[in-house]
Amino acid sequence: MKRTVILSLTLCLALAGCAGPAAAAASSGPAGAASAESAAAAAPALRDLLPARNAYCPGTEGVYLTGTPDGEALVGTVLRWDTGEQTVLCSEPGCAHDSDSCPAWLGALSAGAQGRVLEAGGRLYWLALDESGCTVTVSGTAGGPRTPLADLPVTDLQSAYTDGEFLYLLWVRDSYETLLTRLDPATGETADCAVRTGSAWPIGTWGDRVVVEDTQGGVAALAPDGTVTPLAVPDGAMALRADSGRLYAAVADGSGLTLTARPLDTPDAAPETLAELPGCDPVGAALGPVYGGQLELVVSEARQARAYWVGTGGGMQELPAVTMKDGTSPRPAEIHTGNDQWLWVTTGLRDETFTAIHDDGTLYTATRPVELTGLTTPADLAAPDAAPRPCTRLGE
């Protein structure tokens, strides 16, 4: 099976974030969207399957991120749905967030720290990883004091998610097998649920199972009881997504690209065609999670990439391109993560000038691109007159 990565997307061979079913998205943009209180009341159970390098985790209050306010310390933060502002999950007056005395501390980048903050059942679960393993602690949703929960031998985390009752960690052990470990947040007890030989990455969930794809192009569902169920994949599939009980596939057939869907529990069922792009010559494709009954299809051709908002029951609309920095072509907006009420998306790039020091001690100036992001709703993502609300992130 041919598989190609689109490097501009967070969901390169992995997920860009995923949240479970909830109420239908509001039809107005963020400026007139439903209040934070109504969004919180309808917040979905989280199913976060992001790769460890992109630790975004959508929750009730906002997107939980592992931030680096000073470029050195890894701390837990939240980018709030209602304001678009990223803040550290610490209420200590005058705290510099630069040592383990900070309640939001997850480690020093110089020591190889990794981190993730997940929300489940009205609590935050903090995963702090280094070369010795993973420490899991728990706090309230506002952060603050954290209670130890478990120490796990996890150093190479692929992703983490929750079905609302248990936490699950998908990780690589000894470089040759992928393991799914279940953590009971009530007791701290763990169970190794399923093993997949070789390296595998998540492409979605199916009930309490995680669906993974491996380096050989095989796809399987890993269940908490240890069952591994192989899943059939259409010939010519360039991108796959498991979501809401269906397997979505972007299939190239030599004359264009077709997006299909079929129920995961009836593998012999004929796939349903959701969208067709005749005449395109794709060199890569990517599929996002389902948000508000829509999923993003990104198609990369030799000289351009285009994105489409496709309904789970059919219907397709091309998404507007995002203007990048000077000298580059517009590209499809990246959906970082979200839920059925809110999406956190890329809105553009700007150049930032900074000063650094050469090895010989002399100073020099250079520029680097800074990504601009915003908040919108699934209903407004394709609306040309519904601009996302700009976000303010740490360090900007």
Side-chain angles (χ1 to χ4, degrees), residues 243-263:
D243 202 311
S244 307
R246 306 169 91 188
L247 181 67
Y248 298 91
V251 181
D253 60 5
S255 61
L257 193 75
T258 302
L259 179 62
T260 66
R262 66 167 177 79

Side-chain angles (χ1 to χ4, degrees), residues 81-110:
W81 300 127
D82 57 347
T83 64
E85 182 180 5
Q86 182 186 7
T87 57
V88 180
L89 290 164
C90 169
S91 58
E92 293 293 329
C95 183
H97 318 306
D98 59 359
S99 71
D100 58 8
S101 63
C102 173
W105 176 260
L106 284 165
L109 291 178
S110 59

Side-chain angles (χ1 to χ4, degrees), residues 23-30 33 291-295 309 317 319-320 335 339-343 375-387:
S27 59
S28 58
Y291 298 122
Q294 309 275 339
L295 73 163
W309 210 216
Q317 183 177 0
L319 295 176
I335 302 175
N339 56 34
D340 284 355
Q341 288 78 41
W342 297 102
L343 299 177
L375 295 174
T376 187
T377 67
D380 283 344
L381 182 63
D385 57 349

Side-chain angles (χ1 to χ4, degrees), residues 297-379:
L297 166 64
V298 179
V299 181
S300 178
E301 298 180 78
R303 298 189 178 184
Q304 67 177 342
R306 291 178 290 177
Y308 302 88
W309 210 216
V310 183
T312 56
M316 179 175 66
Q317 183 177 0
E318 185 169 357
L319 295 176
V322 169
T323 301
M324 295 291 111
K325 64 176 183 174
D326 293 342
T328 61
S329 301
R331 75 179 194 198
E334 178 181 348
I335 302 175
H336 293 293
T337 190
N339 56 34
D340 284 355
Q341 288 78 41
W342 297 102
L343 299 177
W344 181 39
V345 301
T346 293
T347 59
L349 291 178
R350 63 173 172 82
D351 283 335
E352 177 185 73
T353 301
F354 67 97
T355 301
I357 303 176
H358 284 295
D359 291 340
D360 62 4
T362 60
L363 298 178
Y364 69 96
T365 60
T367 61
R368 59 189 170 197
V370 175
E371 184 180 51
L372 305 176
T373 64
L375 295 174
T376 187
T377 67

